[in-house]
Amino acid sequence: MFLMILNYLKPLEYLDELIPAHIEFLDRFYNQSKFIASGRRNPRVGGVIIAKASCEEEVWEIIKQDPFYINGAAEYEVIEFIPSKYDPRFECFLS
């Protein structure tokens, strides 16, 4: 499992122009069961995506398709973690 932490590099007005394409990007990977949750950080300085992938290389291949990344509007930090304790309702995302 991976945390993808976005930090915005461009003004919010520019990011807002990219939002429709970014939502299409998110939807594509939700439909492939790669993304579990996503949203804006508060304050609005970036975002967070929780992803299920086989390896970090796969995560970076996904990131390279994000319009925020393509247009230099955000940088990504990728953190891999292995859930060792979790609510049983979350188990369906681990298999």
Side-chain angles (χ1 to χ4, degrees):
M1 188 151 303
F2 294 86
L3 290 178
M4 301 156 64
I5 301 172
L6 291 78
N7 293 302
Y8 295 152
L9 301 173
K10 303 279 185 179
L12 292 177
E13 296 78 23
Y14 182 71
L15 284 149
D16 286 341
E17 294 174 17
L18 298 174
I19 291 278
H22 178 69
I23 290 172
E24 288 179 19
F25 158 79
L26 293 171
D27 288 346
R28 184 173 347 122
F29 288 99
Y30 274 109
N31 289 334
Q32 294 177 28
S33 299
K34 293 294 180 184
F35 290 171
I36 296 167
S38 60
R40 294 179 179 170
R41 292 168 50 192
N42 189 20
R44 193 175 169 200
V45 296
V48 176
I49 301 170
I50 301 173
K52 182 179 175 184
S54 59
C55 62
E56 188 171 338
E57 182 177 279
E58 179 184 5
V59 174
W60 281 105
E61 288 304 313
I62 291 170
I63 289 169
K64 290 175 186 175
Q65 298 176 56
D66 183 359
F68 285 179
Y69 183 85
I70 292 166
N71 291 286
E75 63 184 359
Y76 275 84
E77 177 183 3
V78 175
I79 301 169
E80 183 176 8
F81 74 102
I82 300 165
S84 56
K85 187 163 181 63
Y86 48 86
D87 185 301
R89 294 171 292 178
F90 192 74
E91 191 168 6
C92 63
F93 297 109
L94 302 176
S95 58

